Amino acid sequence: MQKRIAIIGAGVSGLVACKHVMEKGFSPIIFEAKSGIGGVWSQTIESTKLQTPKNLYQFSDFAWPASVKETFPSHKQVMEYLHAYAAHFNILPRIRFNTKVTCIDYVGPAGEEEDMASWDLWSGTGGPFSPNGRWDVTVQHALDNSAPVEVYQVDFVILCIGKFSDIPNIPVFPLNEGPEVFNGQVLHSMDYAKMDADCSAKFTRGKRVAVIGFQKSAIDIAVEVANRNGTRHPCTLLFKKVYWTVPEHFLTLNFKNLNRFTEFMIHKPGEGFFIWLLAFFLSPLLWIFSKVTEFYLMWAYPLKKYKMIPGHDFIKQISSCMFTVLPANFYSRVNEGSLILKRSQGFRFWKDGLIVDGKENYIQTDIVIFATGYKGDEKLKNIFGSSYLQECIGSSAPFYRECIHPRIPQLSILGYSESPSILYTTEMRSKWLAHFLAGTFKLPRIREMEADVRNWENCIRSYAKEKYKRSCVSVLLQIYCNDQLCKDIGYNPRRKKWVLAELFAPYSPVDYKFL
């Protein structure tokens, strides 16, 4: 009897997981709460485009169409590319749209959940399936709450629900200091992104808008509003901390230098003495790169003039998966007065706007948009019906190979890890997972996987410090992580044809086309 596989989510991760699982002879079913594919790409602001050069944000076996000339395609072009991929590999018939997964429960013999903590092998076998365990996937029609609940029994679940959607991260305010005292409108960037271009323009045109945050969505929304309203109704960008931002051309150059030689500068988990020594002697080059980058950005942008110089190293920020491409006209808008930068350690609402830093420093505004991120861990945890499995997800450690929790059987999590290219990272793990499901290899013992996870956590913490995130592991060691995946499935990790290219040429998805 063929094993039943459920994929939850039809974003980039769900599509690529389905394609590779199908290649191994499985017939997966995808549950998608929305009416279409694309995940976060299906609902985003008009000006959003890739922050990754398209040669690194592409499927290894499905190139961008020749008509896309831009290095950083727009979100519309990305959506067209995803639709073409899904149609080419006949993925669409596998998707149940408008079907929201409300809960997943692991079902095994009586008392098995309590015994999981003592398991020696993942799923009890070290393989993807268990002779006794299964998952119950509970779904309901996303647009009809009165529709009957359905329960699907499957042998393996692939979670592709992402980090950047559904549960917004909004600050909590003391009584009478929050949005309830504000006479204007308050929303999260998630809700703003759901508007089409005409609706968002109508919503903000001629209004005083304050955007909270300093990551990609905050900057993009603030510039979009500033372009629309000009100096008559300037947009205020209110933030607590400044981060390094880079121009597109710098990012292109930086990606070209992501090769094996640069990874020799980074310490690796479980490294031997020779590799440690090599990283020790080459690590000053990493420090030099970080400082040169900082000096360049201070020269390219008027950071000192507007007191926008971050208090941390560039390399520390990159190792925390925090990198943002700055719109080309950002400081032009600041200079002309259509975009106002306001740094504050705290703020509260009043009837006509915001009061910053607890002083009589008022910002009059009509609309406040929180671009303050999402609660990715909470979203992931909430999908499990079992408190034991929720506690497992609550661990601060990363996942094994960035997609397997050592204590949660018959389940993989794709698209949760952050990297310079989510598509690249996810496709590699989809290939690895497809081989695992097909029986090409088995997982190590649980205690060995947990030791590996702890080693990765310690390694990344040494670079990211207090900004460590368990979802950000491979950003500094993309090739090294891919080497591990290749070795697991029995492929040569050296993908170039000659030595110098192997050392100094950048790696991209096409290098792994035939895995």
Side-chain angles (χ1 to χ4, degrees), residues 452-501:
D452 181 83
V453 164
R454 286 193 296 271
N455 285 338
W456 271 104
E457 180 178 9
N458 293 335
C459 176
I460 301 305
R461 279 188 186 277
S462 68
Y463 289 97
K465 308 299 182 184
E466 73 281 357
K467 293 297 182 181
Y468 163 80
K469 294 186 290 184
R470 65 168 175 164
S471 59
C472 180
V473 172
S474 63
V475 63
L476 297 178
L477 295 169
Q478 181 88 62
I479 300 172
Y480 180 74
C481 286
N482 290 343
D483 287 352
Q484 293 182 315
L485 301 176
C486 288
K487 291 174 183 177
D488 287 345
I489 63 179
Y491 280 77
N492 184 359
R494 306 291 186 261
R495 312 302 298 171
K496 303 294 186 181
K497 293 182 179 179
W498 57 302
V499 175
L500 288 180

Side-chain angles (χ1 to χ4, degrees), residues 106 112-119 381 384-394 405-409 446 450:
Y106 187 73
E112 184 161 13
E113 186 175 283
E114 290 74 15
D115 293 338
M116 284 183 189
S118 62
W119 280 6
K381 182 171 64 175
F384 293 92
S386 160
S387 58
Y388 168 78
L389 296 179
Q390 288 180 350
E391 290 174 5
C392 287
I393 289 295
H405 192 291
R407 294 289 173 181
I408 303 181
I446 289 176
E450 289 177 331

